[in-house]
């Protein structure tokens, strides 16, 4: 396995774990400039390829999701938009996916720490992500965290996201995507991090395949065009081009519906593949897509969890 790709030109590594308008810019760039960063995986170096699940209990949670930056963009002012074009993502050769106690959609169902490290092969014609001995997932690199400094006095945690961006975890923010952010302060103060080799919509267990990466973006100011909250434009097909089995959660609470849909999908994977419940949950966070399918038929709404059919081949057995 090879190390991280070699950055093409000037690049940046310095990261921070909070959003704060008082942070000194790492660099000042002109509108339309390209920026290249070396982003650490989401633990910020606390986990390694040989780490064990016990190390999850010792994680410094305030240091998770380090973001590289901030970058001040000349001419960016409140009421402007910052247009971020994701040009390329070069992945490391390994990543991790974990159940962190107290974190994730089914945190109450999975209280114990659990960790899987994966080989990530992004060479041309490479094998993708080897999560389990019998499961290889196609690469779908994306940037989980990108945003600008909020105008409110800081510091503010990177998690959760806000209207200024942050840990958005939108699966479509990969190479070719454009993200339009409202500018909150002079210079915008843009940062990014939390790269995934692959992740499903919803990131249900709380982690994707967390990996380090070399990311190149273009930053452009659109005067007076600030959206209310981040807007994502992508040239990816936003729905996976494969057949799926979609479990459902039906009821008056969307969060409970989401949990019900994922629990049923966990049960199906355990039954059909013989995997542990923990591995089934991790697999759903990477390969399944959680969607709100219906919000008009009061009093009940429908959430669906779309599992690739190839992971449940033969079901139902009729």
């Amino acid at each position: 396995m090879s190390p991280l790709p070699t950055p093409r030109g000037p690049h940046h590594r310095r990261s921070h774990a909070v959003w704060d308008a008082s942070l000194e810019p790492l660099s000042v760039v002109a509108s339309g400039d390209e920026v290249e960063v070396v982003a650490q995986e989401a633990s910020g170096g606390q986990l390694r390829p040989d780490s064990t699940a016990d190390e999850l209990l010792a994680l410094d949670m305030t240091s998770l999701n380090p973001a590289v930056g901030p970058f001040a963009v000349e001419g960016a002012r409140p009421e402007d938009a910052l247009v971020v074009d994701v040009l390329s993502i070069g992945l490391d050769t390994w990543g991790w996916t974990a159940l962190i106690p107290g974190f994730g959609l089914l945190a109450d169902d999975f209280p114990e720490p659990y960790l899987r490290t994966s080989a990530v092969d992004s060479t041309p014609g490479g094998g993708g992500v080897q999560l389990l001995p019998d499961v290889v997932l196609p690469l779908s690199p994306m940037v989980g965290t990108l945003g600008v400094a909020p105008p409110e006095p800081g510091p503010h945690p990177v998690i959760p996201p806000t209207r200024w961006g942050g840990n958005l975890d939108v699966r479509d923010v990969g190479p070719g995507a454009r993200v339009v952010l409202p500018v909150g302060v002079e210079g915008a103060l843009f940062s990014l991090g939390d790269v995934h080799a692959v992740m499903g919509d919803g990131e249900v267990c709380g982690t994707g395949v967390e990996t380090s990466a070399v990311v190149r973006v273009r930053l452009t100011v659109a005067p007076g065009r600030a959206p209310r909250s981040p807007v994502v434009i992508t040239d990816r097909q936003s729905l996976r081009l494969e057949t799926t089995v979609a479990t459902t959660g039906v009821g008056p609470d969307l969060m409970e519906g989401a949990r019900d849909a994922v629990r049923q999908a966990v049960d199906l994977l355990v039954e059909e593949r013989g995997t542990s419940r923990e591995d089934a949950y991790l697999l759903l966070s990477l390969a399944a897509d959680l969607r709100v399918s219906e919000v008009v038929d009061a009093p009940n709404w429908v959430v669906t969890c779309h599992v690739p059919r190839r992971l449940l081949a033969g079901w139902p057995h009729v």
Side-chain angles (χ1 to χ4, degrees):
M1 295 190 297
S2 60
L4 270 172
T6 302
R8 296 190 313 175
H11 59 281
H12 307 271
R13 296 175 181 267
R14 191 189 77 190
S15 62
H16 56 93
V18 295
W19 300 106
D20 193 331
S22 69
L23 290 175
E24 187 71 21
L26 180 59
S27 178
V28 179
V29 302
S31 177
D33 278 357
E34 295 181 9
V35 170
E36 192 168 63
V37 307
V38 179
Q40 275 190 304
E41 42 73 35
S43 80
Q46 297 180 79
L47 297 177
R48 304 166 308 284
D50 60 352
S51 289
T52 64
D54 289 342
E55 294 176 52
L56 296 172
L57 298 174
L59 286 177
D60 177 2
M61 302 298 284
T62 65
S63 298
L64 297 185
N65 279 27
V68 181
F71 295 90
V73 184
E74 293 177 346
R77 297 177 175 82
E79 305 304 326
D80 294 343
L82 183 66
V83 179
V84 183
D85 290 301
V86 182
L87 304 177
S88 63
I89 301 175
L91 301 172
D92 204 345
T93 56
W94 76 283
W96 60 269
T97 309
L99 305 183
I100 300 173
F103 194 58
L105 181 66
L106 301 183
D108 291 344
D109 296 18
F110 294 88
E112 299 300 320
Y114 191 79
L115 177 67
R116 280 278 185 184
T117 56
S118 302
V120 177
D121 185 356
S122 54
T123 58
V129 177
Q130 183 86 45
L131 177 72
L132 302 172
D134 63 339
V135 176
V136 178
L137 302 174
L139 291 171
S140 187
M142 49 82 68
V143 180
T145 296
L146 73 175
V148 297
E152 299 81 12
H156 304 273
V158 171
I159 307 172
T162 70
R163 69 168 295 225
W164 310 108
N167 191 38
L168 297 169
D169 280 326
V170 176
R171 180 169 67 85
D172 299 308
V173 182
R178 169 172 284 186
V179 181
V180 185
L181 299 166
V183 173
V185 299
E186 295 283 330
L189 298 181
F190 170 82
S191 304
L192 71 82
D194 186 33
V195 175
H196 302 145
V198 64
M199 187 198 81
D201 278 330
E203 196 189 23
V204 294
C205 84
T207 54
V209 174
E210 310 290 338
T211 189
S212 300
V214 176
V215 183
R216 194 170 188 88
V217 298
R218 181 187 300 112
L219 304 177
T220 307
V221 178
R225 301 304 302 271
R228 294 183 181 180
S229 59
V231 176
V232 177
I233 304 167
T234 177
D235 62 1
R236 284 184 181 176
Q237 174 70 32
S238 61
L239 304 180
R240 297 179 195 267
L241 296 178
E242 58 182 322
T243 56
T244 64
V245 175
T247 56
T248 63
V250 181
D253 185 305
L254 283 174
M255 287 301 294
E256 282 305 310
R259 293 186 183 100
D260 288 345
V262 172
R263 285 175 179 133
Q264 186 177 183
V266 167
D267 290 344
L268 279 179
L269 285 171
V270 170
E271 176 185 341
E272 293 301 306
R273 300 189 65 87
T275 60
S276 68
R277 295 183 71 248
E278 291 79 8
D279 282 334
Y281 187 28
L282 291 187
L283 185 54
L284 292 174
S285 196
L286 306 182
D289 293 326
L290 199 62
R291 302 181 198 152
V292 177
S293 293
E294 182 269 297
V295 289
V296 296
D297 295 328
N300 291 336
W301 329 123
V302 179
V303 179
T304 48
C305 181
H306 293 253
V307 185
R309 179 72 165 154
R310 58 189 163 83
L311 298 179
L312 291 169
W315 189 91
H317 301 281
V318 294

